[in-house]
Amino acid sequence: KGDLLDIRPYCKIKVIAGGSINDCAYMSGIVFHKNVSHKKMARVLNNNPRIMLLSGGIEFTRTENRIASLDTLLEQEEKYMEILVTKIIKLRPDVLLVGRSVSRKAQELLLESDIVLIQHVKSSLMGRIARQTGATVLSSTDHVMSQFGTSVMGKCRRFRLVTFRDNNTWLKQHFRWDPNNEDTSKDNNNNNTPHYNGEDDPMFFYEPKRSISSLLNDPDMPNHERQAILAANELGDGVLDGYEAVRCGLAKRGVARTYIMIE
């Protein structure tokens, strides 16, 4: 299939902040940081879900320098989106990955058809997914049925969303160089440069990022921020199913990071 004998380009290490080394695992598939377009789409798909890849977008392009009423434009856009989405639905995909944006009307139609939508997928990532699932990357939905048929669809064993706490924001402490410390080492150019030699290194000191315990003890904390802190505390360093995180209200922006796994 044109693959290289060297396996290194196909092996990736995905680093997720938090946890311990015992939480590391090997997965035969692809993991990437994205989320679905609607919270009702966040679910696990087993039983070999069908995957469709579209490099373009699903949008209505309006004609410039032409006067038309707003009602006419909305009616044209609605009919165009229905025709476009109907072509996609005929292929019966379970997951649709799109390289660009998708209009709100098209998102609603896909949601009604129980199709999971993921937008703004990079071309390099889409190529990796195509190799993993055997799908064909389509440039547009025009004449899909007549030219390719259902052979453009790919399959995987399982598709799921998992949610972790955003430990890049909620880590208890991190290291920062103390420029006021006189015990600074010098490099070959006689410039002061920090060299971290462990937790007892006097050149470094702990600087809290967003300490959950101290923030919860702040009586002046606004209610919406306190809810985010409680969500981060509830998530901990564990992994939570994407649908469960949405249902419990833990999948908040700036608190959690959702990853898509195609296995």
Side-chain angles (χ1 to χ4, degrees), residues 13-238:
I13 298 177
K14 188 67 176 179
V15 179
I16 299 176
S20 65
I21 193 171
N22 295 325
D23 297 326
C24 298
Y26 166 79
M27 193 193 78
S28 178
I30 297 175
V31 181
F32 55 98
H33 173 46
K34 276 286 180 184
N35 208 339
V36 293
S37 298
H38 196 281
K39 62 182 181 180
K40 291 184 179 180
M41 296 178 179
R43 64 182 190 272
V44 177
L45 298 177
N46 297 311
N47 303 322
N48 302 322
R50 296 158 59 89
I51 296 178
M52 181 177 179
L53 305 178
L54 184 64
S55 61
I58 306 178
E59 293 181 304
F60 176 71
T61 305
R62 296 179 175 84
T63 304
E64 297 181 358
N65 301 324
R66 183 178 177 181
I67 299 176
S69 65
L70 184 60
D71 293 337
T72 302
L73 290 174
L74 292 175
E75 184 179 357
Q76 290 177 352
E77 180 178 2
E78 184 173 349
K79 290 183 178 180
Y80 179 76
M81 287 296 107
E82 290 178 355
I83 295 172
L84 213 57
V85 173
T86 300
K87 292 182 179 180
I88 297 174
I89 295 175
K90 286 182 179 179
L91 293 174
R92 296 184 292 108
D94 297 306
V95 182
L96 174 62
L97 292 97
V98 182
R100 298 180 183 176
S101 59
V102 178
S103 69
R104 175 58 59 181
K105 179 61 178 178
Q107 293 182 36
E108 294 173 355
L109 294 173
L110 292 170
L111 178 62
E112 293 174 0
S113 302
D114 294 328
I115 297 176
V116 178
L117 173 64
I118 304 167
Q119 303 181 69
H120 305 290
V121 181
K122 294 181 180 180
S123 58
S124 58
L125 175 58
M126 197 166 290
R128 290 167 51 203
I129 297 174
R131 179 183 178 275
Q132 174 72 20
T133 61
T136 302
V137 181
L138 304 173
S139 58
S140 68
T141 56
D142 296 337
H143 310 294
V144 169
M145 293 296 294
S146 60
Q147 291 184 3
F148 302 101
T150 57
S151 61
V152 300
M153 308 297 295
K155 289 184 179 181
C156 65
R157 183 177 61 86
R158 179 171 63 171
F159 173 92
R160 59 176 175 152
L161 278 73
V162 293
T163 301
F164 298 87
R165 184 175 68 187
D166 188 1
N167 283 314
N168 290 323
T169 302
W170 296 101
L171 281 177
K172 300 286 185 180
Q173 53 198 3
H174 69 288
F175 294 106
R176 184 170 71 87
W177 179 44
D178 185 0
N180 298 321
N181 194 299
E182 297 179 356
D183 291 333
T184 55
S185 58
K186 297 179 180 295
D187 60 9
N188 295 329
N189 296 325
N190 293 326
N191 294 323
N192 290 340
T193 57
H195 298 285
Y196 176 59
N197 298 317
E199 295 184 5
D200 297 330
D201 192 336
M203 290 176 57
F204 291 80
F205 63 92
Y206 286 109
E207 180 186 7
K209 277 191 174 182
R210 299 194 69 183
S211 175
I212 295 174
S213 58
S214 61
L215 289 172
L216 288 176
N217 293 327
D218 186 358
D220 298 327
M221 181 65 60
N223 186 47
H224 68 280
E225 292 188 15
R226 186 175 296 275
Q227 290 179 358
I229 299 164
L230 290 171
N233 187 43
E234 183 70 20
L235 277 171
D237 287 331

